[in-house]
Structures are given as C-alpha cells and as structure tokens.
Amino acid sequence: MITDLRTAAPPPAAKSRPSAWWRSGAGSLMEVRWAIAATALFAAGGAAQLASGPPWLWWTLYLACYAAGGWEPGLAGLKALRGRTLDVDLLMVAAAIGAAAIGQVFDGALLIVIFATSGALEAVATKRTEDSVRGLLDLAADQATRVDDSGTEEVVAAADLRVGDVILVRPGERIGADGQVIAGASDVDQASITGESLPVDKQTGDEVFAGTVNGTGVLRVHVTRPASETVIARIVAMVEQASATKARTQLFIEKVEQRYSVAMVAATIALFVIPLALGQDLQDSLLRAMTFMIVASPCAVVLATMPPLLAAIATAGRHGVLVKSAVVMEHLADVTQVAFDKTGTLTEGRPHLAHLRILPDPADDSRNGPEDQAGTQADRLLTLAAAAEQGSEHPLGRAIVAAAHHQGLLLPAATAFAALPGRGVRAHVDGHLVEIGSPAHLLDPTASHEASSHEAASARAVVAELEGDGHSTVLMLLDGRPAAVLGLADRLRGDAAQAVTHLAGLTGTTPVLLTGDNPRAAARVAGQVGITDVRAGLLPEDKVNAVRELQQHAQVALVGDGVNDAPALATAHAGIAMGRAGADLTLDTADAVITRDELSTVPAVLALARRARRLVVANLVIAGTFIAVLVAWDLLGDLPLPLGVAGHEGSTVIVGLNGLRLLRDAAWRRAATSPPTASTPR
C-alpha cells in the first residue's frame, strides 16, 4: 500500500522538490548560497588553469571565489577584532590575501572554499535543529473537546485549556493535555513520551500525557497542567536549552588559535616594519614578511586536522554511520561512557510472542496428555487466539497473529468480534467463545466467568512468573475457562550483547541502560546484554538528569531513537540515533545516526574516531616541525620564497595524504574487529 501511494504521487510534487529546497530548505540559507558560489568559481578557476587558459581568466575566477566565500568570514573576523578578539577566520582570510599577493592564488582560494563550506554546514545543522524542534509541536493536539458540568461539549484550542477542565478523548485521537483519567478505559500509545513499546492500559485514576494517542476506548480526562507545562512542551524546551547552552566545542587546533593568531600577526608586522625602519628596501621587507606569513600560516595545520576527521566521516558513512561533522568525530573520540535507551535501540521496538503457556483443565484430557500432544495443543490454542485477534488493532493482537502466520497456521474466520477498550477482545471461533485480554480483568472474581478458584490461582501463578521475567501477559479464556497465558516481549537486537561487551572493553566502563519502560522489562533486557546499571521508568527530564549525573565523571555518548530521547541526546557529549525508526527530532538532534540500525557500528565508530584523533596528533607534529624549521630559517637566515612555498606546500601534501589513509575499507575493518581493550581517547 505504501508503495502504491508513493507511485501514485503526482509528478508536479516531485518536480517541486529542488525549488522547495532552494526556497525553504538548506538552499535558502545565505551561507549555503555563498559557499556554492565560491566552490563553483574555484572549480571554474582550477579548470581554466589546468587547461592553460589565459592567466587573467583564472585569476579573475579565483578572486571572485575570494569575494564570494571570504566576505562573510572576513566580516566576522573584523567584528571580532573590534571586540579585541583575533580569530582564525580573519587570520585565514589574511593568509589567503597574502598567498595571492605573492602569486599563490590557488592556495588562497582553496582556504576560502574550506572556510565557506564549514560555515555553510554549521548553518544547515542549526536550521535543521530549529525546524525539527518546531515540528515536535505537531505531536501535540491542536484542539480538544472540553466538557462542562452540564455535559455540553465544546471544541477548543488545546492551548486554551486550563487546570481543572475536563476533556473528552475519543478513539484514535491525540490527548490534548496532561491530566488524570476520571472516567472510561482505553489503551494509550505513549511511546513518544516514555518510549514504551506497548500501549498502556489506562483506567480511572491513571495519568495521561498530551501528544499521546488514545486507543479504542473513550476517556474523560481532568486537566492537571497548563499547555505550557505539559511533558511534550518541556521536551521542546529542554532540547532548545541544551542546544543553546551546550558548549561550542572546537577542533583541537582551534583551542590555541588565539595565541597563535596574535603571535603570527605580530611577527609579520615586525618583520615588515623593523627592517623598513632600519633602512631596508620596501620590496625586500614586504617579501620577507610575506614569506613569513606563508610559511607560518596554519594551512598545513588545518589540513593536518581536517583530512583524518573527514576521511573517518566518509568511511563511517559507507559502513552505516552518518557522523554530522568533524567536531562530532572528535567528540566520539573522547567518549568514556556509553548509555543506551532500551525500546527501539537495544531491542527492535515491537512486541513478539515469546511464550504460550498452556493451563491445565481437568475437563480436557488433551491439555494434560503426553508431551507429544503439547505441540499440537499449543498450535490449536494459538490458532484460536490469532483468529480472534485478526480484527484487533492492538500491537499485542498483531503480534499474536504474526506468530501464527510465522508458524504457517491457517486461521479460521471469527464471528461476533468485539473489542473491549482497555480489556481485550472477544470472538466466536470454530464453535468456541474465545476471550483474550488483561489477566486482572478476566480473572476478576466479580466477572461472570466459569473459572474455578483453582484454575484462577493457577493462571495467576503463570502470569506472575512471566511478568516477573519482564514479559507483558494476556490471558486466553476458552468457553469461559482459562486456557493459556501468552507472554509477549520486545525482541533483543542480534548484535546488542556483542556491542555492549565491545564498548565495555573499549571505554573501560560497562554501558548504562536508561529507559522509560517498566523496571521488570528493563532488567530482563539488561540481563541479556550484560548491563548492570539499569535506570527505568524515566521521563525525558529524568533521562537528561541521568546523563548530567554520568557526565560528572565521564564523557557520555547516548544511543536512542525516540522523541523522548531527544533532550538527553542534545545534553550528552555525543548523541547517537537509530536511523530506521528514529523520530525526525531525534535524527536532527543527534550528532551521529546509525543508518542501518546495527549496534555493532557503535564501538566501531568510536574506535575509528580514536584512530583519527591519533592521526591528527601525528599530523600536527609533522606540520609543526615544518613550520618551525621554515620560520627559523626565515628569521635567522635568508629563506628564498620559492623554497619557502615548496616547504609549506610539501608539508600540506604530506599531512593530507597521511590523513586520507582512513578512507580505506581496511580502516573500518580494523576498527570493527579490534580487540576490546580499554584505552584513553587521547
């Protein structure tokens, strides 16, 4: 059906995508437009130069590249200078102008393109985060049905609801406010808030949240929080706050840019002014100063830093991990503690039938026969249960039907189907009355069922056992008597345990589990993967607090997938999102995205980031050595300009090629298969 709908989409919509990108997408940003213009002019200039075109042509194209890509960082640098701050933007523009002044216009244009592209990527990331935060508000209902004391219904804007109002929530509607159920029963999908994989039964006295989706029942809800203080509104506020207050972490080399920039500019001016004051020829003084600016400019240092990180980004992308920037790659190299969400992250995010426990019935010999009849009886009961659930939209019902189809069972038609909101389903199948639902409801002594006290006690014991193991349970009644207990659970991802083990060895600390699910389900999953630190029942703000607590003694990477994870992802040192099922806000807030939902890539990308960091340090040593030798030669001797340029460009080529080693697939294989030995990131 999805394919058909997409195929049927009108061609004009597809044709409008490029123009929409240009009008309201990333192309609408001035930083992106100027970066595109600068890159195009640089490419045209390079083509003209390689084709042996007239010098005036490629010089003109390169200088136009200077203007298109350099005016914005140059203006930003001048504004910073007015505030008595000398930043690397102005330094790089000055170095580019100096390069052009001595004939190296290609090098200067390349620096301009690098800086323009970096600024454009930062602007795009900021815009995506802002757009996704605004899109999160779509989860909240725009309207709600308010009921007054006389029972009169009135549709009002959800923002106009006040504490004490009563709203009516019909099947399938989004709940318009945080509140407490005062009448009715239903199952509510609140995965967007708590991350729970299964809808939660809600009855009188239970709390519900704005933005969650009501199931098949009708609820009357007493509003307990104004619209500005709902959980969904607090998620928006927390993401915005974390994005605004999270320290702007810079690349390693930028941590010393202030002192280096001041020293370089001061030395360049001194080399020009002092010899000139002592009577040296103007041209000779200018040439010496320009030579110094070229050999001391941070071109090689910038390329020492960027190629290893960008190569690591490209390699990770080919193997299923989208790392959004070089800064993020450095963050990943720093990680010393990993925290996981449960539902949709360590697990697949949907329920599966794990157990079908047949209950004894003294009146039915087939349930108490030899072991070779157990499989037949289980198939018979699963067939009846799945047939009764075929008309249900509840995830548990769909899981039961899927289990029957997986075993190749043929399902008979059900008649007289009825869904009881918050309780279960009832139907007639093959002459039997089949009831499937909440054990608490179906085993209620006041209910009109034929189950004896002994049968009820036996069923409760099985329910308690399965729920104690972290399963969700439903009871099946056959002709009014308990026939089976079905245990359902979210299935663990196949590579989850291996990823946890590898991360524990890599970082030296066992990962932590942070989940909004119930403690029993969380403990079951944690036990399967080897996690001992489990924090369950967490709302989004609780996850943020847990991440902050962990960050008091570690650099934390959080892996999650839901909207409820977004604030914690923004707060963590590095946020990693599961790509296939991740919410839009989560994907945009995260620093990295696992596009194939393979958890084994998490330790691999951390190991790759650490190797990239080691290459950066090695490159900085190489670049620093070249700069020191050339600067000393220029200051203490007479460094010929061509030799200075050759040494400068040679160091740039060496560090660039060294960093590009991480482009090889062997780099990823080494990271993915490296033994899990704890090591420090630096």
Side-chain angles (χ1 to χ4, degrees), residues 148-536:
D148 61 21
D149 294 339
S150 64
T152 303
E153 298 180 8
E154 177 187 11
V155 177
V156 299
D160 293 337
L161 293 173
R162 299 291 181 265
V163 175
D165 287 346
V166 175
I167 59 174
L168 182 69
V169 187
R170 293 184 170 86
E173 292 183 347
R174 287 193 180 275
I175 297 174
D178 285 7
Q180 187 177 45
V181 178
I182 59 174
S186 185
D187 52 286
V188 175
D189 180 358
Q190 53 187 38
S192 60
I193 302 297
T194 65
E196 292 171 285
S197 59
L198 301 176
V200 180
D201 291 337
K202 298 292 184 180
Q203 298 179 357
T204 301
D206 291 337
E207 184 180 19
V208 292
F209 304 108
T212 57
V213 181
N214 186 27
T216 56
V218 177
L219 299 175
R220 285 179 181 261
V221 176
H222 177 266
V223 177
T224 57
R225 295 190 189 98
S228 60
E229 297 179 10
T230 61
V231 172
I232 200 71
R234 295 204 300 273
I235 291 178
V236 174
M238 284 186 291
V239 171
E240 291 177 335
Q241 181 181 12
S243 300
T245 60
K246 193 175 182 180
R248 180 181 177 270
T249 306
Q250 300 175 325
L251 294 176
F252 177 74
I253 186 56
E254 293 179 0
K255 296 176 182 178
V256 295
E257 72 175 39
Q258 286 294 312
R259 295 178 181 177
Y260 186 86
S261 300
V262 172
M264 178 181 164
V265 171
T268 302
I269 295 174
L271 280 175
F272 174 67
V273 173
I274 294 175
L276 191 63
L278 295 176
Q280 192 176 35
D281 182 69
L282 174 63
Q283 184 173 355
D284 291 341
S285 297
L286 180 61
L287 185 60
R288 178 182 287 270
M290 286 297 98
T291 302
F292 174 83
M293 175 174 280
I294 290 299
V295 299
S297 69
C299 305
V301 175
V302 170
L303 290 177
T305 304
M306 295 302 293
L309 299 175
L310 295 178
I313 289 173
T315 299
R318 292 199 310 270
H319 293 86
V321 183
L322 172 62
V323 180
K324 295 186 178 180
S325 71
V327 173
V328 171
M329 188 60 74
E330 279 210 327
H331 287 184
L332 294 172
D334 290 332
V335 169
T336 57
Q337 173 77 69
V338 177
F340 283 102
D341 171 52
K342 182 184 77 69
T343 305
T345 303
L346 289 176
T347 66
E348 295 178 358
R350 57 184 185 274
H352 297 270
L353 181 63
H355 298 282
L356 191 154
R357 299 283 292 275
I358 303 172
L359 298 175
D361 181 2
D364 187 352
D365 292 337
S366 65
R367 293 200 216 170
N368 304 284
E371 290 185 5
D372 60 356
Q373 295 182 7
T376 303
Q377 180 65 9
D379 287 346
R380 172 176 173 266
L381 292 175
L382 179 57
T383 299
L384 294 174
E389 289 281 10
Q390 281 191 99
S392 173
E393 297 181 355
H394 196 285
L396 293 181
R398 292 197 296 268
I400 294 171
V401 174
H405 287 316
H406 180 71
Q407 295 189 25
L409 302 178
L410 297 178
L411 305 184
T415 59
F417 173 83
L420 308 175
R423 298 181 179 181
V425 300
R426 179 194 301 124
H428 288 276
V429 182
D430 278 352
H432 297 282
L433 173 62
V434 180
E435 298 171 86
I436 303 173
S438 163
H441 168 66
L442 294 180
L443 295 176
D444 187 343
T446 62
S448 57
H449 296 302
E450 301 177 13
S452 66
S453 58
H454 174 73
E455 291 171 331
S458 177
R460 289 192 182 97
V462 175
V463 168
E465 179 186 346
L466 291 176
E467 290 184 347
D469 289 337
H471 294 82
S472 296
T473 60
V474 292
L475 177 66
M476 175 183 179
L477 299 185
L478 190 62
D479 296 324
R481 293 184 176 276
V485 176
L486 292 82
L488 298 103
D490 198 355
R491 183 181 296 167
L492 193 70
R493 293 189 186 276
D495 55 353
Q498 180 183 2
V500 168
T501 301
H502 200 165
L503 285 168
L506 185 66
T507 63
T509 55
T510 303
V512 178
L513 181 60
L514 308 178
T515 178
D517 212 342
N518 66 78
R520 292 191 304 270
R524 182 181 64 85
V525 170
Q528 290 176 324
V529 299
I531 292 178
T532 55
D533 189 350
V534 181
R535 309 182 190 191

Side-chain angles (χ1 to χ4, degrees), residues 607-626:
L608 184 67
R610 293 181 178 210
R611 188 179 177 199
R613 169 62 67 81
R614 292 193 294 270
L615 279 180
V616 167
V617 174
N619 278 351
L620 288 174
V621 171
I622 295 171
T625 302
F626 269 86

